[in-house]
Amino acid sequence: AQSVTQPDIHITVSEGASLELRCNYSYGATPYLFWYVQSPGQGLQLLLKYFSGDTLVQGIKGFEAEFKRSQSSFNLRKPSVHWSDAAEYFCAVGGTQAGTALIFGKGTTLSVSS
Amino acid sequence: NAGVTQTPKFQVLKTGQSMTLQCAQDMNHNSMYWYRQDPGMGLRLIYYSASEGTTDKGEVPNGYNVSRLNKREFSLRLESAAPSQTSVYFCASSEFGAGVYEQYFGPGTRLTVT
């Protein structure tokens, strides 16, 4: 079955500390992988995406993610977290066919402490 | 360039009432989607339209109908609203080609059914 697992429901990180949000996926075909961020009451903003090539991808707001095929993982990282990064983060996987919808994980809520 | 727009932003319905959520995109995308977001559940696909003239059920289609009115517009109808349909509804559109898969989301409609 196709699925995305985000093992951590809620994470608290101190401002300035590093961050890693975990994502594991199960997908039968070549996957496209995404990370989205959602601030309270807002829509979803694309942070970064992976299609092929270099397995370390850079996104907006200083985020990066590494695709590891052998581990079926696509973890999101940031070296130094800012208070404004507090939000909910969603990992998603999609197929390469036109019209393929995304399958989302249940999300990880990030809190930032001062 | 407005991207994906949704109306209304907020709506309160009584059980048994009907309503239509509107979605439009100005990016000339072929594919459009409706998702619902519930706390702790991530986003789940309700219906999608891979191209103009086609619609297909997603993970949670019961109680909903859709219409792909033209390439730009994709509406979601609740014929007889139930409290279980209280949720945030997101419309999205996507394009695929030349190795690119982009999915963009609207700002959401917050629906409460009492």
Side-chain angles (χ1 to χ4, degrees):
Chain A
Q2 299 169 350
S3 65
V4 175
T5 301
Q6 294 180 245
D8 303 304
I9 296 173
H10 190 189
I11 283 181
T12 299
V13 174
S14 298
E15 190 168 17
S18 63
L19 170 70
E20 182 169 31
L21 301 182
R22 296 181 291 164
C23 173
N24 293 96
Y25 68 90
S26 173
Y27 202 76
T30 302
Y32 287 169
L33 293 155
F34 305 82
W35 275 98
Y36 285 86
V37 61
Q38 184 181 35
S39 297
Q42 302 299 311
L44 278 77
Q45 181 182 22
L46 180 65
L47 280 177
L48 48 76
K49 56 187 183 276
Y50 172 78
F51 299 137
S52 63
D54 193 347
T55 56
L56 184 64
V57 294
Q58 303 296 321
I60 62 171
K61 304 184 180 187
F63 285 92
E64 65 179 27
E66 185 172 13
F67 171 61
K68 292 186 178 180
R69 186 184 299 275
S70 62
Q71 298 177 20
S72 297
S73 69
F74 188 56
N75 294 348
L76 182 71
R77 300 195 294 248
K78 186 169 185 178
S80 178
V81 167
H82 188 261
W83 64 267
S84 60
D85 293 324
E88 190 162 20
Y89 292 79
F90 293 96
C91 180
V93 63
T96 59
Q97 299 299 316
T100 306
L102 295 181
I103 299 168
F104 283 83
K106 294 185 178 180
T108 297
T109 300
L110 173 65
S111 297
V112 180
S113 61
S114 56
Chain B
N1 188 340
V4 180
T5 57
Q6 293 182 234
T7 55
K9 286 187 169 53
F10 300 93
Q11 184 70 50
V12 179
L13 290 179
K14 294 187 178 183
T15 297
Q17 288 184 319
S18 62
M19 80 161 294
T20 299
L21 282 64
Q22 305 287 354
C23 174
Q25 53 93 8
D26 62 3
M27 295 173 283
N28 202 35
H29 286 170
N30 280 309
S31 304
M32 298 184 74
Y33 313 82
W34 277 105
Y35 296 89
R36 61 177 288 173
Q37 183 181 26
D38 302 292
M41 299 296 292
L43 277 76
R44 293 180 292 169
L45 182 67
I46 305 171
Y47 270 94
Y48 67 102
S49 172
S51 60
E52 187 178 356
T54 69
T55 60
D56 285 287
K57 295 179 181 179
E59 180 185 354
V60 289
N62 291 345
Y64 304 96
N65 285 301
V66 290
S67 295
R68 183 73 182 267
L69 305 170
N70 48 56
K71 191 172 185 179
R72 287 187 64 247
E73 298 172 289
F74 188 39
S75 63
L76 179 71
R77 182 160 178 84
L78 286 71
E79 291 291 352
S80 179
S84 61
Q85 294 178 304
T86 294
S87 188
V88 182
Y89 292 85
F90 287 100
C91 178
S93 70
S94 75
E95 193 54 70
F96 175 85
V100 174
Y101 184 103
E102 301 283 356
Q103 184 156 134
Y104 295 89
F105 285 81
T109 294
R110 283 152 181 79
L111 174 66
T112 301
V113 183
T114 62

